[in-house]
Amino acid sequence: MASDALDWGDGTYELFSPALRPAAERLLEQAAPQPGERAIDLGSGDGNATLPLARSGATVTAVEPAPRLLGVTAQRLAVAGFSDATTIEAPAEALPLPDGSADLIVSNFAVIFSEEPEQAAREVLRVLAPGGRFLYTAWRTAGPLAEVSMAMRRAVAEAPANPAGDDDGGFGRGIPDESPGGEAPPRWDEPDFLAALVPGGAAAITSSEEFVDFTASSPDAWVDAMFADQPAWRAAKRAVDPERWPETEAEIREILRSGSLEPDRLVLRSPYVLVEVQPHA
Ligand SMILES: C[S@@+](CC[C@H](N)C(=O)[O-])C[C@H]1O[C@@H](n2cnc3c(N)ncnc32)[C@H](O)[C@@H]1O
């Protein structure tokens, strides 16, 4: 893990990962792993996609840059009896795996956090075997959570410790930035850049529009929990000027109150795309 990269092992991601489990299951349904296929869960977190992948009978490798979370994936695999699964501590940009060694790579809201998207994509394409497929999920820039991301980015960019205004504490990565100015990095939710990286240029890319609902007893309870334990939110709070913080936090709470689909509790609908890439279809 690069020394300045967000550590997803900070806080307690496990408290929030259940919200992404339906998306992991949908991803696996689309991927339809076959028994014996060599399959990688890239950015496994605490194993949301790894466990169903192992249950499918595929030969599973979980790759995850945060050592603590990789340990949680390993433990869940062991408890479920998948002693032949492999776990590897590595980022997507430098996969310690041979060329053409995977039939299937899945990544549930994980590779999208890469600081070097093209390098991460090159690695995925290198490790995929001929006929292999890559499926991942990526947030759209829409909905209250994207608004929160933008608010947080603005606040971090104004912090005195970030004179270049380009360090968002890791918070914004994974949600495409639509703010004007600067050279936009490749967007995982608009994955044409992947086709351009395939030697020979041939790639079949399909995608479907999906959504995740985040729920909690109230917007304020959710915000409290996120800032206490969600790694990216914790990093963003650390990166904002403390004097600016109360205003930023109030803005975030208001976005979530007004963005909730239900008045008496929090229901946040966040759109995403499920992308399937077959480089050599
Ligand atoms: C939102 S969590 C998703 C975890 C898991 N896939 C799930 O469904 O719960 C984001 C994950 O992406 C991982 N990640 C961040 N940057 C990465 C990178 N460059 N390469 C691979 N994984 C990365 C984090 O360590 C974290 O586990």
Side-chain angles (χ1 to χ4, degrees), residues 15-140:
L15 294 176
F16 305 99
S17 68
L20 299 186
R21 211 163 279 165
E25 281 160 13
R26 172 80 190 93
L27 182 65
L28 268 287
E29 178 189 53
Q30 179 74 23
Q34 300 300 306
E37 275 194 319
R38 299 162 297 172
I40 296 171
D41 181 13
L42 182 55
S44 68
D46 64 346
N48 261 346
T50 321
L51 272 291
L53 203 50
R55 280 195 290 272
S56 74
T59 302
V60 171
T61 301
V63 176
E64 166 58 49
R68 192 186 70 73
L69 288 182
L70 185 66
V72 178
T73 294
Q75 193 185 16
R76 287 183 67 195
L77 285 166
V79 167
F82 298 114
S83 52
D84 55 346
T86 305
T87 55
I88 297 177
E89 183 186 323
E93 300 81 9
L95 296 174
L97 294 164
D99 295 1
S101 57
D103 304 304
L104 171 65
I105 299 180
V106 298
S107 189
N108 195 40
F109 300 109
V111 71
I112 59 168
F113 290 98
S114 169
E115 294 168 75
E116 300 171 75
E118 290 193 343
Q119 174 59 19
R122 261 186 229 106
E123 277 294 84
V124 166
L125 296 170
R126 177 184 69 75
V127 169
L128 269 187
R133 55 210 196 281
F134 171 40
L135 290 94
Y136 68 89
T137 50
W139 297 116
R140 284 287 197 205

Side-chain angles (χ1 to χ4, degrees), residues 219-221 223-224 248-258:
D220 285 333
V223 170
D224 292 344
T248 305
E249 185 174 327
E251 185 182 358
I252 289 167
R253 288 183 188 275
E254 183 47 39
I255 290 170
L256 297 182
R257 274 186 216 116
S258 58

